[in-house]
Amino acid sequence: MSRLTYYGHACFGVELADGTKLLFDPFITPNELAKDIDIAGVGADYVLITHGHEDHLADAEEILKRTGATLVSNFEIVTWFTGKGIEKAHPMNHGGGFDFPFGRVKYVNAIHSSCLPDGSNGGNPGGFIIETPESSFYVSGDTALHSDQKLIGEFHRLDFGVLCIGDNFTMGPSDAAIAAEWAGIKKAVGVHYDTFPPIKIDHTAAKGEFAKRGVELLLPPIGDSIDL
Ligand code: NI
Ligand code: MN
């Protein structure tokens, strides 16, 4: 069991059973829908960034410097943050896993793009598989549906997934439901929807797309926490 807190867009925290706090894709202060979140209260031991786009890292530097958390991302993104004075950082690349004190993290494929806000090369975009003794899950990052997601279901036993569902820039609900099925996920938390006009979605219809495949789609309100 772990506790997920949704901070809007594709940003969420997961507090593991051992107390370790993982924070993914911090983008809070520029998000009008997340205006009630006080980022000074957002804790992190590790900040994991899927790819270089602004809507996944706008608040990362501030949170990393305040908390002293370790950054985990691809080599190019870690190098970019190192240049901003972030010293605690762990670079990865696709297909590679690493055993952190809290569990194993694998950086996996995503089909998307990944330039950094100043135009620097953000490497290739990815997602994460997190496997801990108490809780294992897949974070898709921004991605299209892709058949490598079948490999996740073949070789990992996961408790839940955090999947982009907003369509237009990423998978929409029907493709994300297929990804969940392929990855062997029965519970999915939807992210990357409603923040901007092209990614506003019908929540009931989205849940219906997942239900068709036997997957429960959870859409916690911004600021809410759920146990998974
Ligand atoms: Ni993106
Ligand atoms: Mn995005």
Side-chain angles (χ1 to χ4, degrees), residues 9 51 53 55-56 112 142 192:
H9 198 49
H51 67 292
H53 288 157
D55 62 316
H56 296 260
H112 192 66
D142 286 7
H192 212 277

Side-chain angles (χ1 to χ4, degrees), residues 31-185:
N31 182 0
E32 179 62 22
L33 300 180
K35 63 181 184 315
D36 293 336
I37 303 289
D38 175 10
I39 69 160
V42 176
D45 298 303
Y46 294 85
V47 174
L48 297 93
I49 297 177
T50 59
H51 67 292
H53 288 157
E54 175 81 9
D55 62 316
H56 296 260
L57 51 68
D59 295 311
E61 183 180 350
E62 198 279 328
I63 291 172
L64 284 162
K65 287 184 174 167
R66 173 174 54 80
T67 61
T70 300
L71 170 65
V72 179
S73 190
N74 71 28
F75 181 81
E76 290 81 0
I77 290 170
V78 163
T79 302
W80 191 71
F81 276 101
T82 301
K84 292 178 174 294
I86 302 300
E87 287 165 8
K88 286 171 72 181
H90 184 102
M92 301 186 75
N93 219 323
H94 297 82
F98 185 81
D99 293 315
F100 289 88
F102 61 85
R104 186 165 178 81
V105 176
K106 190 172 184 183
Y107 191 61
V108 296
N109 295 350
I111 296 182
H112 192 66
S113 56
S114 180
C115 66
L116 286 155
D118 64 359
S120 298
N121 175 18
N124 290 312
F128 295 103
I129 294 172
I130 313 293
E131 292 177 297
T132 80
E134 304 283 347
S135 179
S136 296
F137 55 99
Y138 168 50
V139 178
S140 71
D142 286 7
T143 185
L145 177 68
H146 59 90
S147 57
D148 286 358
Q149 287 163 328
K150 290 181 184 172
L151 295 173
I152 297 171
E154 199 166 332
F155 296 107
H156 301 271
R157 289 289 159 266
L158 303 176
D159 299 298
F160 65 96
V162 180
L163 307 176
C164 51
I165 59 167
D167 220 342
N168 192 74
F169 299 116
T170 70
M171 300 187 287
S174 58
D175 278 1
I178 296 169
E181 188 172 36
W182 284 351
I185 289 161

